[in-house]
Amino acid sequence: MADALSAAVSILFHGTALAMVLYLISVGLSVTMGLMGFVNLAHGVFAMLGGYIVTSLIGRLGVPFVIALAAATVATALGSVVVERLLYRRLYSADDLDQVLLTMGLIFMSVAGATYFWGPLAQPMHPPPWLSGTINLGFRSFPGYRSFLILCGAGLVTALWLGLERTQFGIRIRAAVDNLRMAQSVGVNTSRLFTLTFALGSGLAGLGGALLAIEPTYALENLVYFLIVVAVGGLGSIRGPFVAALVIGIADTGFKYLLPELGAFFIYALTMVILLWRPSGLFGRAA
């Protein structure tokens, strides 16, 4: 009984830590796809960029951890604006196939670029000493860095929710997601809104990637997880990807812990069941 309880606590803890990172990376994809209707399969590239920026700043330049995280978030957001203006904007009205080909091409280019500049091996995340130990809660000790992921994710989720629910910028985003043409008709500058929203989502993805160990194929290997979170949560939703990330993160951790030989089989099966039940996702709008 004690062993089962210990295993359950470990699954919940590590699954929640994974879920927070999945949410940070996926929520921007959910909002931008719901707002712009753009099939951005290369969203994970921005997460990978954030990870490489952090490892380079810390490992090569000795920049403090928190400053490196902030710099990676801002740099990724600014870089995404360039990509959105130069590439994505030209294909907003294009067919889905054209958008898929462009973004998949960006993924493969990023793999080649990361391999050239940083090598084929994964870049490990070395947390600072104050996050390297464990946190003793009396009944159990938990890894400090994973605890930081959960607390950091929870704080950012709260800030994001308040920002999109209680500010004029958030109201404009929600209005554009609900009815783009009506938002344009009442004077919302959707072009600028697209750019700012894309930068926000990409910056969050960069932060999520900055908290992980990154390798050149990260954007390609984890693409399916980002898409699952978005599809299960529902396009254009803020809380949907959060619930989906929790479900996927905890379920994936639990299944791989209990039945490692089956890998991610149960995650795909769970996704199929949810989408057969609710094709628009848990919090998505029905077509």
Side-chain angles (χ1 to χ4, degrees):
M1 184 66 180
D3 290 340
L5 180 60
S6 177
V9 171
S10 294
I11 289 171
L12 287 173
F13 176 79
H14 293 288
T16 302
L18 172 62
M20 290 303 179
V21 176
L22 279 177
Y23 178 73
L24 287 177
I25 296 175
S26 302
V27 66
L29 179 60
S30 174
V31 173
T32 53
M33 286 182 69
L35 175 62
M36 304 174 185
F38 190 91
V39 186
N40 180 23
L41 300 184
H43 191 70
V45 172
F46 299 113
M48 188 172 70
L49 176 62
Y52 277 119
I53 290 175
V54 162
T55 56
S56 297
L57 290 177
I58 295 176
R60 300 180 182 180
L61 301 178
V63 176
F65 178 71
V66 175
I67 296 177
L69 286 181
T73 304
V74 173
T76 304
L78 293 176
S80 73
V81 171
V82 177
V83 174
E84 190 268 340
R85 291 288 178 123
L86 295 181
L87 298 177
Y88 285 18
R89 180 161 297 199
R90 300 173 182 272
L91 293 181
Y92 281 159
S93 59
D95 294 334
D96 290 347
L97 179 59
D98 294 333
Q99 297 172 358
V100 167
L101 290 175
L102 170 68
T103 52
M104 284 301 298
L106 290 176
I107 290 178
F108 289 114
M109 290 172 63
S110 72
V111 171
T115 303
Y116 178 81
F117 287 105
W118 285 281
L121 301 180
Q123 299 292 310
M125 168 54 66
H126 297 293
W130 52 277
L131 289 176
S132 299
T134 59
I135 297 177
N136 191 341
L137 297 182
F139 66 96
R140 187 186 175 103
S141 295
F142 295 96
Y145 189 67
R146 293 267 176 158
S147 302
F148 170 75
L149 290 181
I150 294 175
L151 293 176
C152 179
L156 287 170
V157 167
T158 303
L160 183 62
W161 181 81
L162 290 175
L164 293 178
E165 293 289 333
R166 305 294 176 86
T167 66
Q168 288 294 321
F169 176 66
I171 292 172
R172 291 189 179 96
I173 291 177
R174 288 186 285 114
V177 169
D178 290 337
N179 193 321
L180 181 61
R181 296 196 178 194
M182 182 61 71
Q184 291 173 330
S185 69
V186 297
V188 175
N189 187 338
T190 54
S191 176
R192 183 173 62 184
L193 184 67
F194 282 4
T195 300
L196 293 176
T197 305
F198 191 82
L200 174 62
S202 300
L204 288 174
L207 176 60
L211 295 169
L212 301 171
I214 293 294
E215 57 185 346
T217 57
Y218 177 83
L220 184 61
E221 291 180 353
N222 292 276
L223 172 61
V224 66
Y225 279 92
F226 307 148
L227 294 179
I228 285 175
V229 170
V230 171
V232 171
L235 283 179
S237 173
I238 299 299
R239 59 177 177 169
F242 179 68
V243 174
L246 282 176
V247 171
I248 299 303
I250 294 173
D252 185 57
T253 302
F255 288 138
K256 288 181 177 178
Y257 177 82
L258 299 173
L259 295 168
E261 64 274 9
L262 293 179
F265 169 80
F266 289 105
I267 292 301
Y268 302 130
L270 178 62
T271 301
M272 290 174 61
V273 170
I274 293 175
L275 293 181
L276 286 172
W277 169 48
R278 293 186 63 87
S280 299
L282 296 174
F283 295 90
R285 295 170 298 163

